[in-house]
Amino acid sequence: MQDTVAVALITSLSTLAAAALTGLVGALSTRRQLAHQLAVAHQESVERRATRRDELRRDAYVGFLSACDQAYRQLDRRWLEAGGE
C-alpha cells in the first residue's frame, strides 16, 4: 500500500512541478513579448508625433510663404497703380 502511495505522490509532484515550470516559461515568454510590443508602440508613437510636428511646420511655412506672396503682389499692384515703374 505504501508503494502505491509513494508512486502516486511522486507522480503528482512531478506533474505539479512540470505544470509550474510550464507556467513560469509561459509567463516569462509573455512578459518578453509584452515588453517588445510596448517598445514598438512607443516607437510608433514617437514617429507619429514627429510626422505630425513636421506636417504642422510645413503647413505653417506654406501659410507664411502664401501670406508673403500675397503681400508682395499687393505691394506690386499698388506700386503700379501709383505710377511707379
Side-chain angles (χ1 to χ4, degrees):
M1 179 78 157
Q2 288 196 3
D3 291 342
T4 305
V5 172
V7 169
L9 184 61
I10 290 171
T11 304
S12 63
L13 288 177
S14 66
T15 302
L16 183 62
L21 184 60
T22 302
L24 179 63
V25 169
L28 292 175
S29 175
T30 301
R31 179 180 175 200
R32 180 178 291 184
Q33 182 180 10
L34 288 176
H36 175 70
Q37 288 176 349
L38 182 61
V40 168
H42 177 72
Q43 183 64 29
E44 288 174 354
S45 174
V46 167
E47 290 173 2
R48 276 194 310 271
R49 275 186 273 149
T51 301
R52 180 66 181 146
R53 184 188 66 231
D54 292 345
E55 288 173 356
L56 290 172
R57 284 182 178 174
R58 185 184 64 241
D59 292 345
Y61 187 62
V62 166
F64 173 74
L65 290 178
S66 177
C68 287
D69 184 53
Q70 277 184 329
Y72 175 77
R73 290 175 189 269
Q74 191 173 23
L75 285 171
D76 195 40
R77 188 172 44 249
R78 296 280 171 95
W79 177 262
L80 292 175
E81 287 174 1
E85 290 190 31

